[in-house]
Amino acid sequence: MALPNTGTSAAVLIGVAAYTRLDPLPAVTAGVTRMAELLRDRQVWGLPREQVTLLGSNASRDTVLGAVRDAASGCTDTLLVYFAGHGLRDRSDELYLALADADDEHPEIASLAYPELRRVVGRAGYRARRRITMLDCCYSGLAGGMGAATLARPDLAHLLEEDGDDEPEGGDYGSCVLTSAPKTGRSFAPPGARYPEFTGELIEVLEHGIPDAGPTLSVEQIWRRVRRRLLTQGSPEPQQFGHNAVARQGWVHNRAHGRAPSFKEPFEAPTGTAPAPAAPPLRPDAVLRAASRTTGQSLQTAPTPQAPPMPQPSALPGSARPAVRGITRRRAIMLGTAVAALAGGIAEAVNLTSGTHSEPDKWRLRWRFDAANALSAAPTIADGVVYVGSGDYNLYAIDAATGTKKWAFKTGDQINSSPAVVDGVVYFGSDDRNVYAVHADTGRKKWSHQTGKAVAASPAVVGGTVYIGGWDNHMYALDAATGAEKWSFPTGAYVDEVRPVVVGGLVYFGSLDKSFYALDAATGKKKWAYEIGASSSSPTAAGGTVYVGGGNDSVFALNAATGTKKWSYRGDAQATTNRDSEITSSPVQADGVLYVGSWDHNVYALDAATGTKKWAYETGDEVWGGPAVVGGVVYIGSFDHRLYALDAATGTKKWSYETDFQIPSSPVVKNSTVFVCSNGQYVYALDTSAKKPSS
């Protein structure tokens, strides 16, 4: 894959280390300097020195914006803008990039408001085919994170009242944004650390590459690697917001390409009951990071002499810039929540448009509900109602027959939890740190229980108890009637977007600490643990066996009583020994066959008893969600924007449906209707029995 043209690309890197009213950040100087060196390195990207602008603590707002303007003026391929320093937010949740004289009580003074930077990038960089923004600061997710909505191109043009006639040919234009933290989260530069932790992980990947990932690396590949490493050490979750294919296009050379992995085949534990796992080992700087989080420090260090200001390079050559046009439709890729304001939760029984791909089986659409923001979790169907959480902070109740909204319950942050509905109560988690119970008929809150961090996991409700994990490294058992805590079990890292399975008096779930656990459902006492690698897959249990996706692109079958491994299967297409590559799909067992999706683009059917492959179907992209298997058909979504209906016996495609965006979660089938969510913003109801209209 060809990399961006270095002759027509440019980078502006801003690192603010010395502050007059805020804590100094000496690690920022080293981080931004090393980033600049790597971008110039021909083994990484190879930008000419004069096309990398490095700004330090003495840079003013006008200096920063002027440097971005000048760099963008001669840029027709890729424009990269990077900032590291303190991040501030005001009461209206606007992000400010703190400059040297910034005041956290008055963030609008001596800071750079992120929307100003975004506008300059959009206007001055309108000729650039690709624009990459990286922010390493607190609250950086406010810039537009993974929960931001995405509209089709005509909708964007209409929203911005632009003609968009400057659109480059080929459709590979656009932008992506990487941020070190969610919109409500902090970033860290612990005392004594060489670099801020997010920047340090970026540097790690640029310096050493990713084994067996191919000759080039995309922004998305790098983000996934960085995200997994940070999550396993208990750091805030970095965010990515991308538009079109920009995040997936080759950006830098992969320095690990062609080198043998330096680690042994992972995740093999001895048979029998595994010992209690230790927390994942941390590098020395990671230990410092953990200590920093314990003491509540964020992107700050212990008092030290202020770092010297960085040299201020001269402006790029070619100061005679073309006339800057009005803002183009492409700048809207960072608008996120502003775009979502168009929504309002209205069902639309209309056909969709999605780029230039063919659009098969659009006539299957019964209705489409606009949830105003990204939908990362699967819907739940109960008593004729669809329940789904959205990135716009709402849990929606939607009439399953018509797609009309019945009610919406507002939380304090985005919802990545798939709800459970039991006895007229809806249970779910929110990134605002709470587990909620609301009445299914009215949406009125019954109770809430606060945890230490975001709750992205999905609950299992069994025997009057709600079992749910959180990002505060705990699995909880809560009283379903009152929300009171019965017990909690500490893990070594996040319990991510998984739903535990409760069967035979045991609770089964995986964690990012690489262990899969079996706990006593009544007491929370550990029965056994088995190492499968970092896991975001919801398990399933059948016939004395627990099935779950784990690390190294593998699915595991474990003895439910003892935790001993019966078998494991590793994907056979685009297979990799990359420890960070995992199966997040939740396996489903039906009639002796286990069905599961993989990051290698395939859907697999495996013999549930032996793990032998029966068939594989390759989609156009990664498969994160699990399948639904009903009536001899496997329904499963892919990041190629399509929902597939496959013959369960042979893997042959029966039909597919193209949505507006990626499908990260599992579909649900009820009464000849399949319900599926896209990471754009829509819930779809598709008729599984419809016949193609005659032409």
Side-chain angles (χ1 to χ4, degrees):
M1 182 183 296
L3 298 185
N5 187 325
T6 56
T8 56
S9 297
V12 179
L13 293 87
I14 309 106
V16 184
Y19 288 91
T20 59
R21 294 178 175 84
L22 304 174
D23 291 329
L25 302 172
V28 165
T29 300
V32 73
T33 302
R34 183 58 180 150
M35 284 287 292
E37 292 171 350
L38 289 168
L39 295 180
R40 296 175 185 135
D41 191 328
R42 291 186 180 181
Q43 295 184 44
V44 179
W45 190 3
L47 281 180
R49 178 170 292 273
E50 66 273 12
Q51 289 168 222
V52 179
T53 302
L54 188 60
L55 302 178
S57 301
N58 57 343
S60 66
R61 167 187 170 278
D62 289 346
T63 301
V64 172
L65 296 179
V68 173
R69 174 200 63 197
D70 293 342
S73 66
C75 187
T76 57
D77 195 311
T78 298
L79 173 65
L80 170 68
V81 178
Y82 164 96
F83 172 85
H86 283 294
L88 307 174
R89 62 176 179 174
D90 63 11
R91 293 182 179 179
S92 61
D93 273 348
E94 182 166 302
L95 174 65
Y96 291 84
L97 310 180
L99 303 180
D101 293 327
D103 182 348
D104 57 355
E105 293 185 2
H106 304 283
E108 64 278 0
I109 299 175
S111 294
L112 171 59
Y114 176 73
E116 290 186 302
L117 176 63
R118 183 183 65 201
R119 284 192 291 271
V120 172
V121 169
R123 291 175 177 172
Y126 74 93
R127 295 192 303 160
R129 298 178 73 88
R130 307 172 184 92
R131 290 171 292 178
I132 303 170
T133 301
M134 297 182 177
L135 303 176
D136 191 352
C137 63
C138 293
Y139 316 121
S140 49
L142 289 169
M146 292 182 65
T150 301
L151 297 183
R153 296 178 193 170
D155 294 331
L156 291 174
H158 176 73
L159 171 66
L160 299 173
E161 297 181 351
E162 298 165 350
D163 55 16
D165 60 5
D166 66 320
E167 178 180 320
E169 295 180 0
D172 62 346
Y173 67 86
S175 299
C176 62
V177 180
L178 296 189
T179 72
S180 60
K183 55 182 171 291
T184 57
R186 296 188 175 189
S187 299
F188 296 91
R194 186 177 182 185
Y195 307 123
E197 61 179 16
F198 174 72
T199 294
E201 296 298 348
L202 285 174
I203 289 172
E204 176 79 13
V205 177
L206 295 178
E207 285 181 338
H208 302 292
I210 301 176
D212 294 332
T216 65
L217 296 177
S218 67
V219 171
E220 186 166 292
Q221 286 174 300
I222 293 171
W223 168 75
R224 286 199 192 116
R225 178 78 167 193
V226 169
R227 176 182 181 271
R228 181 59 63 214
R229 292 174 68 97
L230 290 174
L231 287 182
T232 53
Q233 62 195 31
S235 301
E237 182 180 22
Q239 308 287 298
Q240 174 192 299
F241 175 52
H243 182 62
N244 294 338
V246 171
R248 298 185 178 183
Q249 295 165 357
W251 172 39
V252 295
H253 296 287
N254 181 13
R255 279 184 157 178
H257 181 60
R259 294 204 310 255
S262 59
F263 48 82
K264 298 178 181 179
E265 190 71 14
F267 315 139
E268 284 297 328
T271 58
T273 302
L282 301 179
R283 300 189 305 276
D285 59 335
V287 175
L288 291 167
R289 294 169 187 170
S292 170
R293 281 186 289 277
T294 300
T295 58
Q297 294 175 315
S298 57
L299 267 181
Q300 61 188 39
T301 66
T304 57
Q306 288 188 343
M310 296 182 193
Q312 303 297 318
S314 58
L316 294 177
S319 58
R321 299 182 301 279
V324 178
R325 292 189 47 192
I327 189 167
T328 71
R329 72 173 109 167
R330 287 181 291 154
R331 65 130 188 167
I333 46 100
M334 296 186 192
L335 286 178
T337 55
V339 171
L342 288 178
I346 302 172
E348 302 175 53
V350 296
N351 288 340
L352 309 182
T353 58
S354 181
T356 58
H357 299 293
S358 61
E359 297 173 358
D361 290 1
K362 287 297 180 183
W363 37 270
R364 290 188 181 275
L365 182 64
R366 286 183 169 173
W367 52 257
R368 182 184 73 172
F369 178 86
D370 190 337
N373 213 308
L375 301 167
S376 64
T380 298
I381 320 298
D383 300 321
V385 180
V386 181
Y387 300 93
V388 65
S390 171
D392 74 346
Y393 304 6
N394 281 298
L395 178 78
Y396 289 101
I398 309 161
D399 187 283
T402 64
T404 55
K405 183 177 72 176
K406 297 176 72 67
W407 52 257
F409 177 82
K410 188 86 167 182
T411 70
D413 209 330
Q414 59 189 8
I415 301 172
N416 296 302
S417 172
S418 179
V421 185
V422 177
D423 296 332
V425 180
V426 186
Y427 303 90
F428 65 98
S430 168
D431 280 12
D432 68 5
R433 304 186 177 192
N434 284 291
V435 180
Y436 289 95
V438 302
H439 293 280
D441 55 350
T442 63
R444 182 173 53 87
K445 185 173 78 170
K446 180 179 176 69
W447 55 256
S448 63
H449 179 90
Q450 187 172 29
T451 69
K453 287 188 177 180
V455 183
S458 302
V461 185
V462 178
T465 302
V466 180
Y467 301 92
I468 190 167
W471 281 12
D472 61 356
N473 304 359
H474 281 83
M475 172 60 67
Y476 290 93
L478 308 177
D479 186 282
T482 66
E485 183 176 316
K486 293 185 173 182
W487 55 256
S488 65
F489 176 84
T491 59
Y494 290 7
V495 180
D496 207 2
E497 299 179 17
V498 304
R499 188 191 304 274
V501 61
V502 184
V503 62
L506 296 180
V507 183
Y508 301 95
F509 68 98
S511 166
L512 295 188
D513 67 4
K514 301 185 174 69
S515 289
F516 186 79
Y517 294 95
L519 309 181
D520 185 285
T523 65
K525 183 179 179 180
K526 184 178 69 177
K527 291 293 187 179
W528 55 258
Y530 187 87
E531 189 172 358
I532 64 171
S535 179
S536 299
S537 167
S538 297
T540 189
T545 302
V546 182
Y547 304 94
V548 65
N552 203 26
D553 285 320
S554 297
V555 60
F556 294 82
L558 306 177
N559 184 293
T562 65
T564 55
K565 186 177 77 171
K566 293 186 174 182
W567 56 259
S568 65
Y569 180 85
R570 182 178 171 210
D572 57 6
Q574 303 178 16
T576 172
T577 54
N578 176 8
R579 297 178 77 113
D580 294 325
S581 184
E582 65 176 77
I583 287 183
T584 60
S585 175
S586 301
V588 170
Q589 194 264 15
D591 299 325
V593 179
L594 192 75
Y595 302 92
V596 66
S598 171
W599 279 25
D600 69 7
H601 302 189
N602 281 299
V603 181
Y604 291 99
L606 310 174
D607 186 288
T610 65
T612 304
K613 184 177 73 174
K614 300 177 73 69
W615 55 256
Y617 179 87
E618 186 173 5
T619 72
D621 211 326
E622 297 168 359
V623 181
W624 286 22
V629 185
V630 178
V633 180
V634 178
Y635 301 92
I636 194 164
S638 168
F639 263 50
D640 66 3
H641 300 199
R642 292 174 186 256
L643 176 78
Y644 291 88
L646 310 175
D647 186 282
T650 65
T652 305
K653 185 178 79 171
K654 300 174 76 70
W655 55 267
S656 67
Y657 183 92
E658 186 173 12
T659 65
D660 67 307
F661 208 58
Q662 303 158 344
I663 301 176
S665 60
S666 305
V668 178
V669 181
K670 190 76 171 178
N671 299 332
S672 75
T673 301
V674 56
F675 302 89
V676 66
C677 299
S678 80
N679 204 31
Q681 62 196 76
Y682 294 106
V683 183
Y684 297 83
L686 308 176
D687 190 339
T688 63
S689 60
K691 303 298 182 182
K692 186 175 182 178
S694 57
S695 55

